Amino acid sequence: MADDSVHSLMDNNPEETVIPHEEAVTGNQNMSKRQMKKLLKQQKWEEERELRKQKRKDRKQQRRLQRQSQDKQEEEEKQDAVGQDFRKRPRREVVPSSLRLVVDCSFDNLMLMKDVRKLHKQIQRCYAINRRAQHPVQFYVTSLGGQLKQSMDEKDKGWVNWKDISFETEHYSEVLAKEELVYLTSDSPNVLEELDLKKVYVIGGLVDHNHHKGISFERAKERGIDHAQLPLNSFVKMNSRKVLAVNHVFEIILVYLEKGSWEEAFFTILPQRKGAVAVDKGDAATPEKGEDSDLEPATNTAEQTEEKLKYSCNRH
C-alpha cells in the first residue's frame, strides 16, 4: 500500500523524509514530512467529502420534518378550537350570507400531483368550515377537472354528495357576471377595506412553491377583472413570509362576516408559526409591490388529517 510505504519512510527519517517521484502529487521530486502530512490530510478531506455532504442533508431533512410536525400540531390545535366553536353554536343562530366565494382551479396544469392533493385538502377544509359557519357563504369551485378531479374521485368519492356548494367545470368568468368579480391577490395595489356582499370574491387555487408568483394577478388583468388584496399589512406584522393557504383566506373571510373586524379575523385564523403581532396604529405597514403573497397558497400548509376531513365532510 502507498500509505504504508510513506509512513515507513517517515519513521526512518523523521527530519527530512522524502518519497519517490511517482508517489508525489505536487510534481516535486522530494517532499518533506510537513508536506506529506498536509497531503495526507487533504486526501482524507477529499475522501470524506461525500460523507459530510450526506450528513448535512440528513440534518437538514431532520430539521424540516421537525418544523412540519410542529406546524401540523399547531394548526390542528387551532382548527380544532375553531371547529369546536362552530359546533357549539345552536343552528338557530345560522344566517346564510349572500356573499359568494370562488376557488379558481384553472391552474391544474401548473401543479404536481402532490400539490394538487394539498389543494384538495384545502377545499375539503373550506367546505367543512362553511357548513358550520354562522354566516355560510355561497361556495363555488370552478374549472374542476384534470388532476384535482382525479384526486377527489380517488380520495373522497363522497364529494359528489356535498351540499351547499357548486362544482363547475367552466371557468369562473363563464359562470358568474364579470362586473361582479373581484380577484383576491396580494399583487393588487387595491386594498380591500370591507366586503361588498354583492360581489364575488375569487381565491386562486394554486399550490406551486411560489414558482408562479403573480400569475393570478396577471390573469385577472388580462381578463379585465377587478382585483384587490386583504388588508393584512394594515393589521399584522409577521416574522415569516405572508403566505396563506386557500382555506386560511376562506376562513378569514368567514370570521370577518361574523365579527366585522379584519384584525380579529386575522388573529383568529393565522397559524401560530407565523408569529403574527398587531401593527401599531401609528406604524401601519403599507403594501409593497413584489412582497411575498399573502393570499396565494402556502407550500408547507398544515391541514387536518385526511380522516378527520373526510369525517367532517361526509357527516354533512
Side-chain angles (χ1 to χ4, degrees):
M1 297 293 289
D3 289 345
D4 294 339
S5 62
V6 168
H7 285 295
S8 177
L9 288 170
M10 292 171 61
D11 292 339
N12 293 335
N13 190 358
E15 295 182 356
E16 189 66 22
T17 301
V18 297
I19 62 173
H21 174 74
E22 59 269 23
E23 295 293 333
V25 296
T26 61
N28 296 329
Q29 189 172 3
N30 298 326
M31 182 177 291
S32 68
K33 180 178 179 181
R34 178 175 297 177
Q35 289 173 325
M36 179 55 62
K37 287 183 177 179
K38 186 175 181 180
L39 174 63
L40 294 175
K41 184 177 181 180
Q42 180 65 26
Q43 289 176 339
K44 184 177 180 181
W45 175 268
E46 293 296 334
E47 291 171 357
E48 295 178 349
R49 182 186 299 273
E50 290 301 319
L51 179 60
R52 293 195 303 274
K53 183 177 179 181
Q54 185 61 44
K55 286 183 178 179
R56 287 195 298 269
K57 289 175 64 176
D58 292 343
R59 288 195 297 268
K60 186 176 180 180
Q61 178 68 11
Q62 186 177 5
R63 289 195 296 269
R64 183 185 298 113
L65 292 175
Q66 289 175 344
R67 287 196 302 269
Q68 290 177 350
S69 177
Q70 182 180 359
D71 291 346
K72 184 174 182 179
Q73 182 178 357
E74 291 177 354
E75 184 66 13
E76 287 181 350
E77 290 175 355
K78 178 178 286 293
Q79 290 177 347
D80 286 344
V82 173
Q84 290 173 4
D85 184 45
F86 278 123
R87 287 192 293 271
K88 289 178 181 178
R89 297 195 187 100
R91 293 297 295 176
R92 60 184 175 81
E93 293 185 14
V94 174
V95 179
S97 172
S98 60
L99 186 78
R100 288 161 289 175
L101 281 181
V102 176
V103 176
D104 170 23
C105 301
S106 63
F107 306 95
D108 191 86
N109 64 323
L110 299 179
M111 293 186 286
L112 299 174
M113 178 54 85
K114 65 177 183 178
D115 295 322
V116 171
R117 295 196 190 284
K118 291 180 182 179
L119 175 60
H120 175 197
K121 290 183 179 181
Q122 292 171 11
I123 293 173
Q124 284 180 314
R125 177 65 184 171
C126 293
Y127 171 73
I129 287 296
N130 193 49
R131 290 282 290 171
R132 297 196 296 266
Q134 183 176 7
H135 301 296
V137 299
Q138 298 178 37
F139 187 13
Y140 293 80
V141 175
T142 61
S143 298
L144 177 62
Q147 297 180 99
L148 178 59
K149 187 175 184 300
Q150 178 185 340
S151 175
M152 295 173 71
D153 287 339
E154 291 176 355
K155 301 293 184 179
D156 186 13
K157 295 181 180 179
W159 70 269
V160 294
N161 298 318
W162 288 4
K163 301 177 181 179
D164 302 321
I165 185 171
S166 298
F167 289 105
E168 307 289 347
T169 57
E170 295 85 1
H171 192 268
Y172 64 87
S173 61
E174 300 173 0
V175 177
L176 300 153
K178 179 179 176 180
E179 62 273 12
E180 297 177 342
L181 296 168
V182 178
Y183 212 112
L184 296 177
T185 168
S186 66
D187 294 296
S188 171
N190 308 318
V191 179
L192 190 66
E193 300 296 342
E194 59 183 19
L195 295 174
D196 184 345
L197 298 182
K198 296 180 181 179
K199 295 292 185 179
V200 182
Y201 294 97
V202 184
I203 305 170
L206 177 62
V207 180
D208 71 332
H209 301 267
N210 216 25
H211 292 159
H212 301 282
K213 186 176 182 344
I215 189 172
S216 57
F217 178 52
E218 293 302 323
R219 289 191 178 182
K221 289 196 300 181
E222 289 172 2
R223 293 179 176 270
I225 294 170
D226 289 341
H227 44 77
Q229 62 168 288
L230 294 183
L232 185 67
N233 293 289
S234 300
F235 299 94
V236 181
K237 290 191 295 185
M238 296 191 293
N239 59 12
S240 63
R241 294 187 305 158
K242 298 176 181 178
V243 181
L244 303 182
V246 169
N247 59 289
H248 289 147
V249 181
F250 194 98
E251 291 178 63
I252 285 170
I253 291 176
L254 287 181
V255 175
Y256 176 80
L257 288 173
E258 178 183 343
K259 306 291 186 181
S261 166
W262 284 119
E263 184 173 15
E264 190 167 354
F266 290 136
F267 285 101
T268 299
I269 301 302
L270 286 177
Q272 294 179 5
R273 67 178 185 278
K274 295 289 186 179
V277 295
V279 172
D280 295 335
K281 296 300 182 181
D283 188 34
T286 55
E288 295 183 3
K289 186 74 173 175
E291 187 177 71
D292 281 319
S293 171
D294 59 338
L295 297 178
E296 296 174 359
T299 60
N300 292 323
T301 303
E303 298 91 10
Q304 285 183 313
T305 61
E306 187 173 351
E307 291 75 12
K308 285 186 178 181
L309 286 168
K310 283 186 176 181
Y311 173 76
S312 179
C313 296
N314 291 337
R315 68 181 296 189
H316 293 287

